[in-house]
Amino acid sequence: MKKKKLIACILLLSIFSIFITSCSEQPKPPTEKTILKVCIESSQLDDLKPVFSYYHQLYQDVVVQPILLPAGKEQRETELKKIQTQIMAGTFADLYLLSTNNPFYQENLEPLFPNLNKMMYSGIFCDLNEFLKKDKEFNRQDFLQPILDAGKANGKQMIFPLQYRQNIFAVKDSNLAEIWDTARLPQLLELFQQEPYLKEQSLIYFYFFHDFASLLPELISYEQEKVLITKEDLEEQYRMLLDFIQIENLPSAQFESQLLKSLDDSYSAIDYLTTGDNSAFVLRPLPTIDSPSAAYITTYGAISAQSKYKQEAYQLLRIFFGEEAQGSESTSAVKNFRLITTFFIDWSVRTDISEQYKSIQYDDRTGMPDVLNKVQSVLSEESKVSFFSNLDAAFNEIIENRYNQLFTTFPSDEEIQQDVDKMMRLLEQAAME
């Protein structure tokens, strides 16, 4: 009897223990989704929404939260200062997908990062190499090396360039086209001043004075925080560029039109280059004082060094430098990426994509020929590539003040000296600030 009671007690205790255990277990809360904060311009939101939705389909546990920079010019400066303070103090966004503020964009808004060339050394961006090395589908040889190198600091890939822009000349003279491959700006200036080239309109001028700073050699080492050019050299090169710009304003001896034909938008370039009399033009990059060509990064991506979700941010960023976003056969989800910036002028950074543009072809969407895309493959290791900065904008403002003057008279020695003094002050400030 006692034995039966003991067994009964053990059973009751077991049941009671199971009951207590089951009551103490709380139902597991649903898994929280990762919120990935992505900083973009307000004007880019509509174009990027399909990309963010596409990303969420690939990674359903991650939701993209766009952080929009203010669109209005009036409150933008104040708001950007607050945002910049937040960025330096900690994480504002996990990923930055932005376009640089260069003079070709209609918005012409103050950029979040006024000088990306300098910001790469600030420590606010993480090194992308830790992700690129693990990415089995990433092949550095598929990308234009001068473009990728523009996003490096101390050997680290701090920024991934997504699109770039390059100055173009269209050369009609076949002999000049051959000379162009090895010539630099000083040699071209000397050549253009010769009698044979003053008798006919031999080439097209394309966005020259807007890119004044890009035509000069490297001016600042942001790593060493010092100016690389002397005042004497800057004055000499400034005078040479003024001579070059003045040629644009010289009337041709044979035609009423200017010697160098200005094309102020991509559509006029297309029309001019594809008409019967002008179809023989050969496209060449505009060389600088000491390099075969120059280019500006126009769209880029960078991941915050303080982000908790770096891997997720990289997975989104890689969509933008993958074939599906940069190629002509984009998926419906990401095809709008190519429309964020002006169609036809901004090129993708993949070499495997650029192979498609070596011969004239017609775009299915617009019906226009991709003539200017043929120059994409001319970028070399010696090309000068950088991010457009507030320093470039300041230099452009100086040269634009002289631009109209060059229609009638060359600046005096005193005026040139004033410009050079102002440039040197800007350089010293940019190097040390």
Side-chain angles (χ1 to χ4, degrees):
M1 185 70 178
K2 289 183 178 180
K3 189 176 181 180
K4 288 182 178 180
K5 287 183 177 180
L6 179 61
I7 292 172
C9 288
I10 291 173
L11 288 172
L12 287 172
L13 287 172
S14 299
I15 294 169
F16 183 72
S17 175
I18 292 171
F19 175 76
I20 293 297
T21 302
S22 64
C23 289
S24 63
E25 290 182 353
Q26 298 297 323
K28 292 182 179 179
T31 303
E32 292 187 5
K33 292 185 182 295
T34 298
I35 305 298
L36 187 67
K37 297 180 180 179
V38 182
C39 180
I40 63 173
E41 291 288 355
S42 300
S43 59
Q44 295 177 326
L45 181 59
D46 289 341
D47 287 328
L48 289 176
K49 277 181 179 179
V51 184
F52 296 157
S53 298
Y54 173 67
Y55 174 79
H56 182 57
Q57 293 173 18
L58 298 177
Y59 308 97
Q60 296 185 9
D61 58 337
V62 183
V63 175
V64 175
Q65 178 183 323
I67 299 181
L68 306 181
L69 296 179
K73 289 187 177 182
E74 294 182 0
Q75 76 274 23
R76 187 177 175 94
E77 184 177 354
T78 303
E79 290 299 317
L80 288 189
K81 287 181 179 178
K82 294 179 182 178
I83 293 172
Q84 289 161 358
T85 301
Q86 292 179 50
I87 292 172
M88 300 307 293
T91 301
F92 170 72
D94 300 293
L95 175 65
Y96 298 92
L97 286 175
L98 297 170
S99 46
T100 56
N101 184 34
N102 67 55
F104 308 110
Y105 286 98
Q106 294 180 352
E107 290 179 299
N108 197 25
L109 297 172
E110 180 73 17
L112 176 60
F113 302 113
N115 193 333
L116 280 162
N117 302 300
K118 187 179 182 67
M119 290 305 295
M120 287 189 290
Y121 296 90
S122 67
I124 69 167
F125 303 135
C126 78
D127 182 9
L128 297 173
N129 282 328
E130 62 178 288
F131 304 105
L132 296 173
K133 290 176 180 177
K134 296 176 183 178
D135 189 343
K136 295 181 180 180
E137 296 182 10
F138 175 75
N139 184 356
R140 191 170 287 273
Q141 298 307 312
D142 290 341
F143 297 84
L144 296 165
Q145 297 308 304
I147 301 296
L148 287 191
D149 289 346
K152 285 184 177 180
N154 297 322
K156 299 177 180 179
Q157 191 75 51
M158 310 307 293
I159 295 175
F160 203 105
L162 300 174
Q163 291 176 314
Y164 74 97
R165 182 169 298 184
Q166 188 176 13
N167 271 347
I168 304 302
F169 268 107
V171 186
K172 194 170 186 179
D173 188 298
S174 59
N175 294 325
L176 183 58
E178 293 179 7
I179 295 170
W180 204 284
D181 292 333
T182 56
R184 300 293 180 264
L185 213 53
Q187 289 80 37
L188 291 181
L189 173 62
E190 184 177 343
L191 188 66
F192 295 157
Q193 290 173 331
Q194 296 175 12
E195 186 69 18
Y197 293 101
L198 287 175
K199 288 185 178 179
E200 63 175 319
Q201 183 180 323
S202 57
L203 50 103
I204 295 175
Y205 158 83
F206 194 65
Y207 289 132
F208 181 76
F209 74 93
H210 280 311
D211 277 354
F212 169 66
S214 74
L215 303 176
L216 297 171
E218 290 295 331
L219 300 174
I220 296 177
S221 169
Y222 290 101
E223 181 181 1
Q224 301 173 2
E225 296 185 339
K226 71 175 185 180
V227 179
L228 298 176
I229 192 171
T230 65
K231 183 178 178 180
E232 292 72 24
D233 286 343
L234 181 61
E235 180 176 344
E236 179 183 351
Q237 292 166 10
Y238 180 53
R239 286 178 178 273
M240 187 199 71
L241 291 172
L242 289 175
D243 284 335
F244 203 105
I245 293 175
Q246 190 177 47
I247 290 178
E248 180 206 349
N249 300 322
L250 291 175
S252 166
Q254 191 170 349
F255 304 103
E256 292 183 0
S257 59
Q258 294 172 322
L259 174 67
L260 305 185
K261 174 72 175 178
S262 292
L263 299 178
D264 53 8
D265 61 50
S266 60
Y267 296 97
S268 61
I270 294 168
D271 180 65
Y272 192 89
L273 293 174
T274 53
T275 55
D277 295 338
N278 301 318
S279 58
F281 275 86
V282 178
L283 299 174
R284 288 292 183 268
L286 172 64
T288 74
I289 286 176
D290 64 349
S291 69
S293 61
Y296 279 125
I297 308 300
T298 54
T299 311
Y300 67 93
I303 298 175
S304 170
Q306 302 298 322
S307 172
K308 296 179 181 179
Y309 307 114
K310 294 186 181 68
Q311 181 61 44
E312 290 82 357
Y314 175 75
Q315 289 167 338
L316 175 55
L317 175 60
R318 78 180 316 282
I319 291 177
F320 291 90
F321 60 78
E323 290 184 59
E324 57 189 353
Q326 300 226 342
S328 58
E329 299 298 326
S330 301
T331 65
S332 58
V334 297
K335 65 180 180 181
N336 281 341
F337 167 68
R338 303 191 75 203
L339 306 181
I340 292 175
T341 49
T342 308
F343 171 73
F344 188 84
I345 295 183
D346 292 328
W347 297 297
S348 55
V349 300
R350 296 181 64 107
T351 56
D352 51 348
I353 299 302
S354 69
E355 292 292 321
Q356 302 172 18
Y357 300 136
K358 285 190 174 179
S359 61
I360 295 179
Q361 55 185 289
Y362 288 82
D363 185 271
D364 293 337
R365 184 179 59 81
T366 64
M368 297 186 300
D370 290 334
V371 287
L372 291 189
N373 284 315
K374 291 194 299 179
V375 303
Q376 185 170 19
S377 60
V378 303
L379 278 173
S380 69
E381 296 296 331
E382 294 77 33
S383 298
K384 179 184 177 183
V385 184
S386 61
F387 295 89
F388 190 85
S389 71
N390 53 354
L391 180 63
D392 296 86
F395 271 43
N396 283 346
E397 185 177 350
I398 293 173
I399 194 71
E400 285 174 18
N401 289 336
R402 298 294 175 207
Y403 186 78
N404 291 330
Q405 180 182 350
L406 288 168
F407 279 95
T408 55
T409 181
F410 199 80
S412 66
D413 289 343
E414 183 180 358
E415 289 172 323
I416 289 176
Q417 196 62 53
Q418 289 173 354
D419 289 349
V420 173
D421 287 342
K422 189 173 182 179
M423 290 180 192
M424 287 303 298
R425 287 195 298 271
L426 289 168
L427 286 173
E428 291 167 358
Q429 181 181 356
M432 299 303 296
E433 67 182 4

